[in-house]
Amino acid sequence: MGAGLLALLAMGVSTFLMRAGGYWLMAHVPLTARVHRMLEALPGALVVAIVLPIAVKIGVIAFLAISAAAVVMVLRHNGFLAVVGGLIVAALARSMGM
Amino acid sequence: MRGAGARYLTVAGFAEGVRLSVPAIPVMALFGTAFGAFAAQKGLGLLEATLMSTLMFAGASQFVATEMWTEPITVSVVTTLCLITAAVNMRFMLMTASLRPWLGGLPAWQTYPAMALLTEPGWLIAMRYRAAGGTDHSIVLSSGIALWLIWIVSTVLGYLLGAVVADPRRYALDLVMPVFFTVMLVPLWSGPRRAVAWVAAGAVAIVTAEYVSGSWYIIAGTVAGTLSAGFIDERA
C-alpha cells in the first residue's frame, strides 16, 4: 500500500495543479485564440482517443452500447439515463447471445 | 463595488450552494457507483478506490488511472499515472480560468479550496448562478463539498456492489468506461467543423493502439486531435 498511496497522492496533486492552474494562469498569462482553441478541443480529442481503441477491442457490442448511450444523451440530455440505457442495451444483446 | 461582507463565506451562500447541487446528485451518485464497481472489478482495494475518489474527485481520470494501474508501483508507473491524470484533467484549467473574472478579487485561501473541488456539474452550477445575477461566491465551495461527499460515498457503495457481482460481463459492467466517456462526449459536440479534432484523435489512437503497446495511444491521439484544432484556422 506504501507505493500505491504515494501514487494516489501524486495523482491528487497532479489533478489539483490542473484545477488551480487554470485559475492562476488566467491572472498571469493571456490566452491566445490558438491556445484557447487547443484547450477547448483537448477534452473531446482525449475522450475519443480513450474510447475508440477500447471499443474496437471489445467489438460490436461496445459500439451498440455507446451508440445507444449517445442517442439517449442527445435526445434527453440526461447522463444518468444515457449510461443506464447504454448498459441495458449491451446486457440485453449479450443475453440474446451476441 | 466589493463590500467588506462580500469577501467572506456566508452561511446563506453555503445553504444555497447545497440546494443548487441537489439536481446534480443522481448523475454524480451513478458515476461514483460506476467508478467504485469498476475499481473493484479491476482489483483495486477498497481503501485505494476510496482514497482515489477523495484525493482526485475527477471521474474520467480515475477510470483511466484504474485501467492503467499496474502492480508493482514503480517510479515510472507513478510518472505515467500523473501525466495521464494531468492530461485528462487539463480541461479543468478552462473551467477554473473562466471563474477568475468573478472570483479574482477574493483572497486566495477562499478561492483555491473551491477550485480544488470544482467539477463539471459544480462549474455549471456556478456559471448559471452567476448568470442569473447571484453574487455569493460561497456557493462554489459549498456545492463542491456537497458533490465531493456524494462522490466518495457512492464510490464505496459501488465498490461493495462491484465486489459481489460474479459475472460483470452479464451486466455489461465491462462497458461502463466506454459508455461513461461517450456520454461525456455528447455535450462537447460543437458542430462538424470542430469534429476534425475528434477524427484525428480517433484515427491516430486506433493506429497507435494497434502497433504500440501500453497506453501511449491515449497521448498520441490526444496530441493529434489538439494540434489539429490549433492549426486549422477557422472563421467563426
Side-chain angles (χ1 to χ4, degrees):
Chain A
M1 186 62 210
L5 183 64
L6 196 77
L8 291 170
L9 282 173
M11 289 192 292
V13 170
S14 148
T15 307
F16 172 73
L17 288 180
M18 291 300 119
R19 287 186 167 119
Y23 186 76
W24 183 85
L25 265 181
M26 191 63 188
H28 298 90
V29 184
L31 280 178
T32 66
R34 167 165 294 166
V35 171
H36 192 267
R37 210 157 60 224
M38 285 168 67
L39 275 178
E40 219 172 30
L42 192 137
L46 183 87
V47 172
V48 172
I50 290 171
V51 167
L52 263 191
I54 293 179
V56 168
K57 205 174 89 188
I58 297 177
V60 182
I61 213 110
F63 283 96
L64 263 179
I66 62 179
S67 315
V71 168
V72 175
M73 191 64 189
V74 169
L75 294 179
R76 304 300 303 272
H77 303 286
N78 183 324
F80 185 92
L81 284 182
V83 170
V84 171
L87 295 183
I88 287 177
V89 165
L92 278 180
R94 273 202 183 127
S95 73
M96 290 187 301
M98 273 185 75
Chain B
M1 195 53 206
R2 208 168 61 224
R7 293 176 63 89
Y8 292 96
L9 300 166
T10 68
V11 175
F14 252 71
E16 178 69 0
V18 173
R19 201 186 59 77
L20 291 170
S21 307
V22 170
I25 288 176
V27 176
M28 208 66 182
L30 176 81
F31 287 165
T33 308
F35 168 71
F38 183 73
Q41 300 290 348
K42 288 279 168 184
L44 234 63
L46 174 58
L47 183 63
E48 289 165 331
T50 312
L51 270 177
M52 199 189 273
S53 279
T54 309
L55 293 170
M56 293 172 71
F57 188 29
S61 63
Q62 292 179 220
F63 272 97
V64 178
T66 303
E67 178 80 29
M68 296 179 50
W69 189 269
T70 39
E71 307 268 2
I73 307 281
T74 59
V75 173
S76 96
V77 171
V78 175
T79 311
T80 314
L81 285 172
C82 285
L83 287 179
I84 288 283
T85 303
V88 178
N89 291 328
M90 214 171 265
R91 68 188 190 286
F92 286 136
M93 293 182 85
L94 280 182
M95 289 189 267
T96 58
S98 70
L99 288 172
R100 184 93 209 189
W102 177 22
L103 305 177
L106 297 160
W109 67 270
Q110 290 193 5
T111 48
Y112 281 95
M115 294 306 103
L117 294 176
L118 195 77
T119 54
E120 274 89 352
W123 178 73
L124 276 175
I125 289 168
M127 297 304 275
R128 281 187 197 140
Y129 173 80
R130 185 71 181 145
T135 52
D136 192 332
H137 69 276
S138 317
I139 66 119
V140 186
L141 182 60
S142 72
S143 61
I145 293 173
L147 295 172
W148 185 44
L149 294 177
I150 298 287
W151 182 248
I152 296 168
V153 170
S154 58
T155 299
V156 174
L157 290 179
Y159 187 95
L160 299 175
L161 214 67
V164 298
V165 176
D167 183 8
R169 279 176 49 86
R170 200 174 147 203
Y171 304 99
L173 286 184
D174 55 325
L175 291 169
V176 162
M177 183 163 143
V179 166
F180 172 88
F181 277 79
T182 304
V183 169
M184 279 184 54
L185 201 54
V186 171
L188 297 175
W189 178 260
S190 51
R193 279 184 72 92
R194 300 281 184 84
V196 175
W198 295 13
V199 175
V204 170
I206 288 177
V207 172
T208 311
E210 190 66 37
Y211 296 104
V212 184
S213 66
S215 306
W216 289 106
Y217 65 89
I218 299 177
I219 304 280
T222 308
V223 168
T226 308
L227 286 181
S228 72
F231 291 91
I232 291 169
D233 281 310
E234 52 179 314
R235 311 267 175 268

